[in-house]
Amino acid sequence: MSGSPVEFPDDAAVMNRALALAARGIGFVEPNPPVGAVLVDEGRRLLGEGWHQRFGEPHAEVHALAAAGERARGATLFVTLEPCCHHGKTPPCTRAILAAGIRRVVIAMSDPAPYVAGRGIAELRVAGLDVEVGLREGQAVRLVAPFVKRVTAGLPWVHGKWAMTLDGKLAARTGHSQWISGENSREIVHRLRGRMDAILVGIGTVLADNPLLTARPSGPRVALRVVLDSTARTPLTSRLVQTVDEAPLSIAVSESAPAERVARLREAGVDVFVVPPVNRGADAPRSPAAPAVPMLDLAILLRELAARSATNVLVEGGSQVLGSCFDAGVLDEVHVFVAPKLVGGREAATPLGGCGLERIPAAGSIETLELQFPGDDVYLHGRIIRAQ
């Protein structure tokens, strides 16, 4: 370290730095959580810092300890998530902390994963370290929410994305939809795809748009492309199938999908798996536009993706798939691009099909809504507020 040492005014400022470092790992570390760590002396002068940079590589604490070297002895470690105490891809961070002679550890939040769940904190306290938990906990919880959902609920964090006209249409009444949003908006979408574990669309989108569903340029992750296709109608000539060697492709079908179609897709290198139909029940509301083909159970599909270590899933449409996700209560976050265009038409698709709500919500549905202005469009981004 050169020049004057960095000095923090209080503990909260140190943890803020650790949180900012942790965010650098998003898209690179999954299925692990993003974590940041900062080491300071008694005067809160920076000794070392680090973040979990890539899955399978050293954790944030190890990078911070390496940066501090011998100066770590007697220092205070600030870390955004409870240090691991188990052998995974890397050795336990608790052992490294103890070996370095750390005196005090300040942790933003405990790790709810069943293989940690407070045991790392307990190990440090038993060894005589001063351990504090809860500083900037809210910010830390928000940062690792996708990881927490996967390890506690067995479901991935689901992002809904759509581009629409100013009058709320996904496409013209003919189905034409390219392009609603501008080039700057599409660049944001490609960056978003580049940090996803899976991208989900319905067969309607495949047949209408023949998408690639890849990040261009490529990002830190290559997402699994997933098609909801009850009857295995995805064409062998589609760009999805033709690029299966460049990016993995899975197609979810029903048990009634024609065997010959399924066989041809598998011969082309596609992963085809069966998902049961949704159990609607006799009294369940039904959309008047619901398709005649079986509706696959999204919760089961998402659990399958989580079992394959998918932490973040991007749902790109179409209207029926997005609406089904909304009806099922599995959407966690939305990315909406609004273009200053008007198309009209009662038959033109709107973003959320399905059944929808019976009443307009009394309060906003999105928390901490963020707005950006890429080119002529408006980009709205926020997390969905769960009904209590």
Side-chain angles (χ1 to χ4, degrees), residues 5 16 18 39 54 70 107 112 125 128 141-142 144 172 175 195 202 204 235 309 353 377 386:
N16 287 343
L39 273 167
R54 285 189 180 274
E70 287 301 318
I107 302 168
R125 283 176 171 160
V141 168
R142 181 177 177 83
V144 299
R195 64 178 182 85
S309 297
D377 300 337
R386 295 288 178 222

Side-chain angles (χ1 to χ4, degrees), residues 4 11 24 35 57 68 139 167 188 206 212 253 282-283 290 326 343:
S4 302
D11 285 359
R24 297 183 183 181
V35 181
E57 295 185 3
Q139 291 89 328
D167 56 336
I188 294 174
V206 173
L212 268 176
V253 302
D283 299 325
F326 180 72
V343 67

